[in-house]
Amino acid sequence: MSPLLEDAALLVAVLGLVSGLITLVRLRDVLLAFGVLLDFLVAAGLIRLAGELTFHGLLGVALVIAVRKLVMHALRADQRVPDGPSPAGARARSPQRRRPVRP
C-alpha cells in the first residue's frame, strides 16, 4: 500500500475519533457519537482496501461494519426500553376501547 493511502486512512481514523468525541461532548448523544466514530472507521478501512485488496483487510472492514450494526442496534433498543415499571392500575387505553360519554 502506498504511504499516501496509509496516511489518509490514519488521518480519517483520527478525525473520526475527534469527531466522535466532539459529538459526544457537544450533543451528549452516545448513539450519534458512536455512529460518527464507526462511520469514519469504515471509511478508513475502505481507504486501506483501495491500496491493497487483501482478505485480511476485507475481513477488518467487514468486522467494523458488523460491530457498527450491532452497537447501533443495541443502543437503539436500549432507548426504547422504559425507565421503570408503570404505576399499578395505570393502563393505557386505546381510543377504540373508550366508552362514549352519556349525557
Side-chain angles (χ1 to χ4, degrees):
M1 179 171 20
S2 73
L4 179 64
L5 287 177
E6 284 183 23
D7 291 343
L10 180 63
L11 178 65
V12 169
V14 169
L15 286 174
L17 183 61
V18 170
S19 298
L21 286 173
I22 289 172
T23 303
L24 182 62
V25 169
R26 297 279 300 190
L27 302 177
R28 304 218 186 274
D29 187 356
V30 175
L31 181 66
L32 185 61
F34 267 124
V36 168
L37 172 64
L38 292 174
D39 283 342
F40 271 88
L41 291 179
V42 168
L46 291 175
I47 290 172
R48 289 181 55 91
L49 276 180
E52 188 175 329
L53 185 58
T54 63
F55 181 73
H56 181 68
L58 185 60
L59 189 61
V61 171
L63 182 65
V64 169
I65 292 172
V67 166
R68 181 193 185 285
K69 293 286 187 182
L70 288 173
V71 166
M72 299 304 282
H73 180 70
L75 288 173
R76 282 191 189 112
D78 189 42
Q79 284 183 341
R80 288 188 295 245
V81 174
D83 290 337
S86 60
R91 291 189 342 208
R93 298 178 113 184
S94 64
Q96 296 86 8
R97 296 183 71 193
R98 290 187 182 167
R99 295 180 186 171
V101 178
R102 294 184 182 162

